[in-house]
PDB file of all heavy atoms in Angstrom:
ATOM      1  N   TYR A 200     -26.388  29.788   2.123  1.00 97.00           N
ATOM      2  CA  TYR A 200     -25.204  29.298   2.839  1.00 97.00           C
ATOM      3  C   TYR A 200     -25.570  28.250   3.902  1.00 97.00           C
ATOM      4  O   TYR A 200     -24.981  27.174   3.946  1.00 97.00           O
ATOM      5  CB  TYR A 200     -24.483  30.504   3.469  1.00 97.00           C
ATOM      6  CG  TYR A 200     -23.389  30.145   4.441  1.00 97.00           C
ATOM      7  CD1 TYR A 200     -22.172  29.652   3.990  1.00 97.00           C
ATOM      8  CD2 TYR A 200     -23.571  30.293   5.812  1.00 97.00           C
ATOM      9  CE1 TYR A 200     -21.160  29.319   4.880  1.00 97.00           C
ATOM     10  CE2 TYR A 200     -22.571  29.967   6.713  1.00 97.00           C
ATOM     11  CZ  TYR A 200     -21.375  29.478   6.238  1.00 97.00           C
ATOM     12  OH  TYR A 200     -20.388  29.146   7.126  1.00 97.00           O
ATOM     13  N   VAL A 201     -26.561  28.551   4.741  1.00 98.00           N
ATOM     14  CA  VAL A 201     -26.901  27.586   5.798  1.00 98.00           C
ATOM     15  C   VAL A 201     -27.495  26.313   5.200  1.00 98.00           C
ATOM     16  O   VAL A 201     -27.348  25.235   5.768  1.00 98.00           O
ATOM     17  CB  VAL A 201     -27.852  28.160   6.891  1.00 98.00           C
ATOM     18  CG1 VAL A 201     -27.187  29.313   7.630  1.00 98.00           C
ATOM     19  CG2 VAL A 201     -29.201  28.575   6.342  1.00 98.00           C
ATOM     20  N   ARG A 202     -28.129  26.452   4.067  1.00 97.00           N
ATOM     21  CA  ARG A 202     -28.705  25.251   3.440  1.00 97.00           C
ATOM     22  C   ARG A 202     -27.622  24.352   2.854  1.00 97.00           C
ATOM     23  O   ARG A 202     -27.680  23.142   2.982  1.00 97.00           O
ATOM     24  CB  ARG A 202     -29.759  25.638   2.388  1.00 97.00           C
ATOM     25  CG  ARG A 202     -31.055  26.135   3.042  1.00 97.00           C
ATOM     26  CD  ARG A 202     -32.131  26.466   2.049  1.00 97.00           C
ATOM     27  NE  ARG A 202     -32.748  25.280   1.451  1.00 97.00           N
ATOM     28  CZ  ARG A 202     -33.556  24.430   2.079  1.00 97.00           C
ATOM     29  NH1 ARG A 202     -33.835  24.614   3.355  1.00 97.00           N
ATOM     30  NH2 ARG A 202     -34.075  23.401   1.457  1.00 97.00           N
ATOM     31  N   GLN A 203     -26.613  24.935   2.238  1.00 97.00           N
ATOM     32  CA  GLN A 203     -25.549  24.051   1.725  1.00 97.00           C
ATOM     33  C   GLN A 203     -24.792  23.410   2.900  1.00 97.00           C
ATOM     34  O   GLN A 203     -24.378  22.257   2.826  1.00 97.00           O
ATOM     35  CB  GLN A 203     -24.609  24.790   0.767  1.00 97.00           C
ATOM     36  CG  GLN A 203     -23.647  25.772   1.434  1.00 97.00           C
ATOM     37  CD  GLN A 203     -22.571  26.275   0.487  1.00 97.00           C
ATOM     38  OE1 GLN A 203     -22.859  26.669  -0.625  1.00 97.00           O
ATOM     39  NE2 GLN A 203     -21.322  26.289   0.935  1.00 97.00           N
ATOM     40  N   CYS A 204     -24.642  24.163   4.004  1.00 98.00           N
ATOM     41  CA  CYS A 204     -23.967  23.602   5.190  1.00 98.00           C
ATOM     42  C   CYS A 204     -24.784  22.455   5.797  1.00 98.00           C
ATOM     43  O   CYS A 204     -24.231  21.553   6.420  1.00 98.00           O
ATOM     44  CB  CYS A 204     -23.759  24.680   6.261  1.00 98.00           C
ATOM     45  SG  CYS A 204     -22.471  25.872   5.881  1.00 98.00           S
ATOM     46  N   ALA A 205     -26.119  22.510   5.641  1.00 98.00           N
ATOM     47  CA  ALA A 205     -26.993  21.519   6.285  1.00 98.00           C
ATOM     48  C   ALA A 205     -27.207  20.263   5.440  1.00 98.00           C
ATOM     49  O   ALA A 205     -28.020  19.405   5.786  1.00 98.00           O
ATOM     50  CB  ALA A 205     -28.335  22.165   6.637  1.00 98.00           C
ATOM     51  N   ILE A 206     -26.473  20.145   4.337  1.00 98.00           N
ATOM     52  CA  ILE A 206     -26.531  18.906   3.550  1.00 98.00           C
ATOM     53  C   ILE A 206     -26.036  17.773   4.446  1.00 98.00           C
ATOM     54  O   ILE A 206     -25.060  17.937   5.193  1.00 98.00           O
ATOM     55  CB  ILE A 206     -25.634  19.013   2.283  1.00 98.00           C
ATOM     56  CG1 ILE A 206     -26.245  20.002   1.291  1.00 98.00           C
ATOM     57  CG2 ILE A 206     -25.428  17.643   1.629  1.00 98.00           C
ATOM     58  CD1 ILE A 206     -25.361  20.293   0.076  1.00 98.00           C
ATOM     59  N   GLU A 207     -26.721  16.659   4.382  1.00 98.00           N
ATOM     60  CA  GLU A 207     -26.288  15.496   5.164  1.00 98.00           C
ATOM     61  C   GLU A 207     -25.795  14.390   4.229  1.00 98.00           C
ATOM     62  O   GLU A 207     -26.483  14.001   3.288  1.00 98.00           O
ATOM     63  CB  GLU A 207     -27.439  14.975   6.023  1.00 98.00           C
ATOM     64  CG  GLU A 207     -27.794  15.946   7.133  1.00 98.00           C
ATOM     65  CD  GLU A 207     -28.776  15.383   8.150  1.00 98.00           C
ATOM     66  OE1 GLU A 207     -29.571  14.488   7.806  1.00 98.00           O
ATOM     67  OE2 GLU A 207     -28.746  15.858   9.292  1.00 98.00           O
ATOM     68  N   LEU A 208     -24.602  13.910   4.526  1.00 98.00           N
ATOM     69  CA  LEU A 208     -24.034  12.790   3.768  1.00 98.00           C
ATOM     70  C   LEU A 208     -23.430  11.811   4.763  1.00 98.00           C
ATOM     71  O   LEU A 208     -23.032  12.197   5.876  1.00 98.00           O
ATOM     72  CB  LEU A 208     -22.907  13.277   2.842  1.00 98.00           C
ATOM     73  CG  LEU A 208     -23.255  14.247   1.706  1.00 98.00           C
ATOM     74  CD1 LEU A 208     -21.982  14.690   0.985  1.00 98.00           C
ATOM     75  CD2 LEU A 208     -24.211  13.604   0.700  1.00 98.00           C
ATOM     76  N   SER A 209     -23.330  10.570   4.364  1.00 98.00           N
ATOM     77  CA  SER A 209     -22.590   9.610   5.188  1.00 98.00           C
ATOM     78  C   SER A 209     -21.120   9.681   4.777  1.00 98.00           C
ATOM     79  O   SER A 209     -20.776  10.259   3.741  1.00 98.00           O
ATOM     80  CB  SER A 209     -23.121   8.197   4.936  1.00 98.00           C
ATOM     81  OG  SER A 209     -22.839   7.816   3.600  1.00 98.00           O
ATOM     82  N   CYS A 210     -20.240   9.057   5.570  1.00 98.00           N
ATOM     83  CA  CYS A 210     -18.818   9.013   5.188  1.00 98.00           C
ATOM     84  C   CYS A 210     -18.661   8.349   3.826  1.00 98.00           C
ATOM     85  O   CYS A 210     -17.869   8.780   2.992  1.00 98.00           O
ATOM     86  CB  CYS A 210     -18.008   8.216   6.212  1.00 98.00           C
ATOM     87  SG  CYS A 210     -17.747   9.073   7.757  1.00 98.00           S
ATOM     88  N   ARG A 211     -19.440   7.292   3.629  1.00 98.00           N
ATOM     89  CA  ARG A 211     -19.332   6.569   2.356  1.00 98.00           C
ATOM     90  C   ARG A 211     -19.660   7.498   1.180  1.00 98.00           C
ATOM     91  O   ARG A 211     -18.974   7.511   0.163  1.00 98.00           O
ATOM     92  CB  ARG A 211     -20.302   5.369   2.380  1.00 98.00           C
ATOM     93  CG  ARG A 211     -20.021   4.315   1.334  1.00 98.00           C
ATOM     94  CD  ARG A 211     -21.093   3.255   1.364  1.00 98.00           C
ATOM     95  NE  ARG A 211     -21.014   2.376   2.520  1.00 98.00           N
ATOM     96  CZ  ARG A 211     -20.240   1.277   2.584  1.00 98.00           C
ATOM     97  NH1 ARG A 211     -19.509   0.931   1.563  1.00 98.00           N
ATOM     98  NH2 ARG A 211     -20.231   0.530   3.674  1.00 98.00           N
ATOM     99  N   GLN A 212     -20.713   8.316   1.354  1.00 98.00           N
ATOM    100  CA  GLN A 212     -21.101   9.236   0.284  1.00 98.00           C
ATOM    101  C   GLN A 212     -20.089  10.374   0.132  1.00 98.00           C
ATOM    102  O   GLN A 212     -19.710  10.739  -0.980  1.00 98.00           O
ATOM    103  CB  GLN A 212     -22.488   9.826   0.571  1.00 98.00           C
ATOM    104  CG  GLN A 212     -23.620   8.826   0.415  1.00 98.00           C
ATOM    105  CD  GLN A 212     -24.950   9.400   0.873  1.00 98.00           C
ATOM    106  OE1 GLN A 212     -25.045  10.036   1.924  1.00 98.00           O
ATOM    107  NE2 GLN A 212     -25.998   9.182   0.090  1.00 98.00           N
ATOM    108  N   LEU A 213     -19.644  10.916   1.270  1.00 98.00           N
ATOM    109  CA  LEU A 213     -18.725  12.055   1.193  1.00 98.00           C
ATOM    110  C   LEU A 213     -17.401  11.658   0.532  1.00 98.00           C
ATOM    111  O   LEU A 213     -16.846  12.414  -0.272  1.00 98.00           O
ATOM    112  CB  LEU A 213     -18.472  12.623   2.604  1.00 98.00           C
ATOM    113  CG  LEU A 213     -17.527  13.820   2.683  1.00 98.00           C
ATOM    114  CD1 LEU A 213     -18.035  14.998   1.849  1.00 98.00           C
ATOM    115  CD2 LEU A 213     -17.312  14.261   4.134  1.00 98.00           C
ATOM    116  N   ALA A 214     -16.904  10.471   0.865  1.00 98.00           N
ATOM    117  CA  ALA A 214     -15.648  10.020   0.255  1.00 98.00           C
ATOM    118  C   ALA A 214     -15.820   9.926  -1.262  1.00 98.00           C
ATOM    119  O   ALA A 214     -14.948  10.329  -2.028  1.00 98.00           O
ATOM    120  CB  ALA A 214     -15.237   8.670   0.839  1.00 98.00           C
ATOM    121  N   ARG A 215     -16.968   9.448  -1.679  1.00 96.00           N
ATOM    122  CA  ARG A 215     -17.237   9.333  -3.117  1.00 96.00           C
ATOM    123  C   ARG A 215     -17.360  10.730  -3.759  1.00 96.00           C
ATOM    124  O   ARG A 215     -16.811  10.983  -4.836  1.00 96.00           O
ATOM    125  CB  ARG A 215     -18.540   8.539  -3.316  1.00 96.00           C
ATOM    126  CG  ARG A 215     -18.810   8.153  -4.718  1.00 96.00           C
ATOM    127  CD  ARG A 215     -20.033   7.252  -4.831  1.00 96.00           C
ATOM    128  NE  ARG A 215     -20.344   7.071  -6.230  1.00 96.00           N
ATOM    129  CZ  ARG A 215     -19.711   6.226  -7.036  1.00 96.00           C
ATOM    130  NH1 ARG A 215     -18.765   5.453  -6.555  1.00 96.00           N
ATOM    131  NH2 ARG A 215     -20.014   6.146  -8.300  1.00 96.00           N
ATOM    132  N   ALA A 216     -18.038  11.621  -3.058  1.00 96.00           N
ATOM    133  CA  ALA A 216     -18.203  12.978  -3.596  1.00 96.00           C
ATOM    134  C   ALA A 216     -16.852  13.686  -3.734  1.00 96.00           C
ATOM    135  O   ALA A 216     -16.660  14.512  -4.616  1.00 96.00           O
ATOM    136  CB  ALA A 216     -19.134  13.785  -2.695  1.00 96.00           C
ATOM    137  N   GLY A 217     -15.910  13.328  -2.872  1.00 96.00           N
ATOM    138  CA  GLY A 217     -14.596  13.986  -2.900  1.00 96.00           C
ATOM    139  C   GLY A 217     -13.737  13.574  -4.073  1.00 96.00           C
ATOM    140  O   GLY A 217     -12.656  14.123  -4.289  1.00 96.00           O
ATOM    141  N   ARG A 218     -14.228  12.648  -4.883  1.00 92.00           N
ATOM    142  CA  ARG A 218     -13.368  12.119  -5.949  1.00 92.00           C
ATOM    143  C   ARG A 218     -13.017  13.153  -7.008  1.00 92.00           C
ATOM    144  O   ARG A 218     -12.036  12.997  -7.704  1.00 92.00           O
ATOM    145  CB  ARG A 218     -14.005  10.880  -6.583  1.00 92.00           C
ATOM    146  CG  ARG A 218     -15.192  11.144  -7.443  1.00 92.00           C
ATOM    147  CD  ARG A 218     -16.052   9.906  -7.571  1.00 92.00           C
ATOM    148  NE  ARG A 218     -17.285  10.233  -8.226  1.00 92.00           N
ATOM    149  CZ  ARG A 218     -17.581   9.907  -9.482  1.00 92.00           C
ATOM    150  NH1 ARG A 218     -16.744   9.205 -10.186  1.00 92.00           N
ATOM    151  NH2 ARG A 218     -18.723  10.269 -10.013  1.00 92.00           N
ATOM    152  N   PHE A 219     -13.796  14.258  -7.088  1.00 92.00           N
ATOM    153  CA  PHE A 219     -13.417  15.257  -8.104  1.00 92.00           C
ATOM    154  C   PHE A 219     -12.092  15.935  -7.757  1.00 92.00           C
ATOM    155  O   PHE A 219     -11.477  16.573  -8.589  1.00 92.00           O
ATOM    156  CB  PHE A 219     -14.536  16.294  -8.305  1.00 92.00           C
ATOM    157  CG  PHE A 219     -14.622  17.360  -7.238  1.00 92.00           C
ATOM    158  CD1 PHE A 219     -14.136  18.631  -7.466  1.00 92.00           C
ATOM    159  CD2 PHE A 219     -15.206  17.087  -6.016  1.00 92.00           C
ATOM    160  CE1 PHE A 219     -14.225  19.627  -6.499  1.00 92.00           C
ATOM    161  CE2 PHE A 219     -15.307  18.064  -5.033  1.00 92.00           C
ATOM    162  CZ  PHE A 219     -14.814  19.330  -5.279  1.00 92.00           C
TER     163      PHE A 219
END
Side-chain angles (χ1 to χ4, degrees):
Y200 170 74
V201 297
R202 286 183 74 71
Q203 73 169 47
C204 287
I206 290 174
E207 291 189 333
L208 296 175
S209 66
C210 286
R211 197 185 287 275
Q212 289 173 315
L213 180 59
R215 190 174 172 80
R218 72 202 171 106
F219 78 102

